[in-house]
Amino acid sequence: MADYDFDVLVIGAGPGGYVAAIRAAQLGLKVACAEARETLGGTCLNVGCIPSKALLHASELFEEAQSGALARLGVKIDSMSLDLDAMHGQRLDAVKQLTGGIEYLFKKNKVEWLKGRASFEGKDMVKVGDRSVRARNIVIATGSSVMPLPGVTVDDEAIVDSTSALELPKVPGHMVVIGGGVIGLELGSVWKRLGAKVTVVEFLDQILPGMDGEVRKEANKIFKRQGFTFKLSTKVTGATRDGAGVTLTVEPAAGGAPETIAADVVLVAIGRRANTEGLALDKAGLAVNGRGQVEIDHEFRTLVPGIWAIGDVVPGPMLAHKAEDEGIAVAENIAGLTGIVNHDVIPSVVYTAPEIAGVGLTEEQARERAKEAGGDIKVGKFPMMANSRAKTNHEPDGFVKVIADATSDKVLGVWMIAVPAGVMIAQAAQAMEFGATSEDIAYTCHAHPTHAEAFKEAAMAVRGKPIHI
Ligand code: FAD
Ligand code: NAI
């Protein structure tokens, strides 16, 4: 290895970085991973996917009991109350176990954990804490952080971001969420279920940008029925602390008369931005693009040979499973294998109740592309109301939609709102990865009674022949 300390140095131990490090070690390379946090696992395990899902699960059970939904099924609870400390305790426990699990995997695979913040000293030199290391390959996997909103300064008390919103010591009376995206709806759901009134202020004219249009509309309807208040096409122009609470000033996005909203807690959830500050990319000969991200080619190579990048710090959806798959692929490319990620088939899930999931093109995108190519699409839809398992479980909301090429019948996209959509979407992703037609799905035997049968029926509907509607 001549004078290199490592074959691979990964910067950042999130789902992208820790997976890249483990895979590279599995492939026989000498690997180190630098991480600035006290624990491994990145945003996802420490302050993202994992703690949010622990609270989503617990708050859903609370609401089922509290709202009388369980009583309607014959499960009568005579007295119940919220133990928020215990709910936070199980969240912290999930985080501890999973971050500790990565530490165990590092030891098992002989990945050296370099504790501290990393910055480039040259194309193959990185300083971590007070140690300088030289690596033949360097993978930038530094992830992303909360996008700040000018005029609304997060103080982690009354004005919170996604991290401090996980840790509120009491349920707010009125929570105003700025941003009707994934974080706003997931964390808004948690606190609404526990008793908060939740208002979502969204700049655009609809929530959940980037998702299928019909799904966005239906989700809006369902969340409104659940008690969310939406102020769409509205921008926040300022926030002032007002005793224990906050007064927000908002106005129509297109301009117009301002108004104020009083909140006990304001959650800023307007997106995330790539982490490159302090990395001294210039010392490695790298620069960021206009959106602050590190540009890469199809094999995750940056412009500088030997430096690679993956996950939230590069363009593309900011999702843990996308980062993980890129982590495996980059390690395989470094080892001389062919690592591939099919970026056309990355599922996304919003873990509300019901869940919202999609993979591939939206109907709008598919129509646009077909028009450009002189072709057409066919769309099949099946409502969850007509699915027998959804019926037995009293889960009538939502639908499954399959979008296929009108000529080849190849599935181009699948979108769904259904209680277990996060699990159901895996089948759609696999079918698309295998190049399935809607007919392939329609003629695949699905177990009965399952929610997944709605996917089969939506596929049947592409050709106009579902059975149960
Ligand atoms: P990160 O997980 O951000 O990890 C990067 C790591 O690099 C961090 O630990 C950071 O400390 C470290 N680092 C940065 N700079 C340096 C440096 N200079 N030196 C050393 N270390 C450094 N995605 C999903 O797919 N599903 C979900 O359910 C989901 N829920 C989420 C919920 C919330 C509240 C949030 C905020 C995000 C959620 N995400 C979810 C997104 C997901 O967390 C990210 O897409 C994912 O963590 C990205 O992985 P990554 O490895 O690229 O970066
Ligand atoms: P987002 O991009 O999903 O949503 C942000 C929303 O804020 C958008 O609707 C946008 O139009 C709106 N907005 C922007 N500026 C605004 C302003 N000034 N006033 C009002 N509204 C404004 O970002 P979010 O929710 O912060 O999530 C960040 C990332 O984290 C997402 O990209 C997502 O990929 C990831 N994530 C994924 C989860 C999952 O997979 N289940 C869960 C949580 C986060």
Side-chain angles (χ1 to χ4, degrees):
M1 239 194 12
D3 49 353
Y4 286 108
D5 298 297
F6 299 100
D7 294 314
V8 184
L9 168 66
V10 182
I11 307 178
Y18 83 71
V19 167
I22 292 172
R23 188 70 174 142
Q26 285 173 344
L27 292 169
L29 300 170
K30 187 177 180 202
V31 185
C33 183
E35 173 54 58
R37 260 177 226 277
E38 293 295 308
T39 48
L40 302 173
T43 303
C44 177
L45 273 63
N46 288 283
V47 294
C49 329
I50 296 305
S52 61
K53 266 78 247 179
L55 286 184
L56 277 159
H57 177 66
S59 62
E60 196 177 346
L61 295 179
F62 173 81
E63 193 189 37
E64 277 180 12
Q66 208 255 352
S67 67
L70 287 185
R72 284 192 287 280
L73 300 180
V75 183
K76 200 157 170 276
I77 300 168
D78 289 328
S79 134
M80 65 158 294
S81 60
L82 174 65
D83 182 346
L84 190 55
D85 288 344
M87 205 176 270
H88 281 315
Q90 59 87 37
R91 162 179 64 82
L92 292 169
D93 206 38
V95 170
K96 192 170 170 206
Q97 285 187 28
L98 288 167
T99 54
I102 308 302
E103 204 174 328
Y104 161 78
L105 290 174
F106 269 18
K107 282 193 188 123
K108 183 179 159 197
N109 288 284
K110 301 194 171 48
V111 173
E112 191 174 333
W113 173 8
L114 305 180
K115 298 186 184 184
R117 186 157 290 281
S119 60
F120 281 95
E121 293 186 312
K123 289 181 197 316
D124 57 5
M125 287 290 288
V126 170
K127 190 162 187 197
V128 187
D130 40 20
R131 179 175 169 196
S132 287
V133 293
R134 189 156 177 237
R136 196 185 296 275
N137 294 279
I138 297 168
V139 180
I140 304 171
T142 48
S144 64
S145 337
V146 175
M147 177 98 71
L149 176 60
V152 188
T153 310
V154 170
D155 60 19
D156 294 327
E157 269 180 22
I159 305 181
V160 297
D161 60 15
S162 61
T163 300
S164 30
L166 292 167
E167 293 167 351
L168 297 181
K170 66 176 193 154
V171 180
H174 184 202
M175 173 181 253
V176 175
V177 180
I178 309 178
V182 196
I183 292 182
L185 293 170
E186 287 189 1
L187 294 182
S189 288
V190 165
W191 294 106
K192 194 190 66 57
R193 291 167 187 171
L194 299 182
K197 169 179 154 47
V198 177
T199 303
V200 177
V201 181
E202 166 59 52
F203 185 79
L204 300 175
D205 61 0
Q206 191 51 281
I207 58 170
L208 293 172
M211 299 220 156
D212 182 87
E214 216 172 344
V215 162
R216 295 173 72 187
K217 250 194 244 156
E218 186 66 18
N220 183 308
K221 241 197 269 171
I222 292 170
F223 292 132
K224 255 194 200 155
R225 211 184 322 123
Q226 288 181 1
F228 275 93
T229 301
F230 291 110
K231 283 187 89 64
L232 303 177
S233 304
T234 303
K235 67 178 173 198
V236 174
T237 51
T240 41
R241 278 298 297 268
D242 185 2
V246 183
T247 301
L248 272 185
T249 317
V250 301
E251 63 182 49
E259 57 174 307
T260 57
I261 310 176
D264 298 296
V265 168
V266 171
L267 164 58
V268 181
I270 59 161
R272 297 180 61 80
R273 62 177 182 191
N275 285 335
T276 54
E277 226 178 86
L279 256 185
L281 287 175
D282 54 322
K283 292 196 181 151
L286 282 171
V288 293
N289 68 15
R291 302 190 62 202
Q293 301 156 323
V294 178
E295 287 284 348
I296 45 163
D297 68 9
H298 194 61
E299 293 174 328
F300 312 102
R301 292 174 199 276
T302 66
L303 284 175
V304 176
I307 306 184
W308 315 68
I310 55 168
D312 279 11
V313 77
V314 304
M318 289 182 164
L319 296 171
H321 41 279
K322 177 243 184 204
E324 286 188 46
D325 284 9
E326 290 181 348
I328 290 178
V330 78
E332 292 179 349
N333 287 335
I334 289 171
L337 307 174
T338 308
I340 293 172
V341 177
N342 180 0
H343 285 100
D344 291 337
V345 183
I346 306 276
S348 63
V349 180
V350 188
Y351 295 88
T352 44
E355 292 177 343
I356 302 163
V359 61
L361 301 181
T362 62
E363 185 174 338
E364 295 76 21
Q365 290 168 331
R367 244 179 236 298
E368 188 61 36
R369 289 202 195 175
K371 203 168 132 196
E372 280 164 22
D376 204 356
I377 59 166
K378 281 196 166 182
V379 178
K381 244 179 88 178
F382 190 80
M384 293 313 292
M385 200 154 24
N387 171 269
S388 57
R389 188 61 183 278
K391 184 66 101 192
T392 63
N393 291 9
H394 308 273
E395 297 161 347
D397 285 339
F399 59 83
V400 179
K401 173 174 180 176
V402 175
I403 303 152
D405 183 276
T407 311
S408 68
D409 193 34
K410 190 174 170 192
V411 177
L412 304 172
V414 178
W415 290 87
M416 50 181 82
I417 303 183
V419 166
V423 173
M424 289 164 67
I425 203 69
Q427 188 202 343
Q430 192 161 39
M432 287 178 65
E433 196 61 55
F434 288 176
T437 60
S438 79
E439 191 181 41
D440 291 329
I441 296 161
Y443 282 100
T444 299
C445 188
H446 286 62
H448 175 75
T450 58
H451 296 83
E453 287 172 290
F455 180 38
K456 175 191 169 105
E457 296 246 27
M460 291 168 103
V462 170
R463 295 169 154 253
K465 14 165 234 187
I467 298 294
H468 292 96
I469 195 154

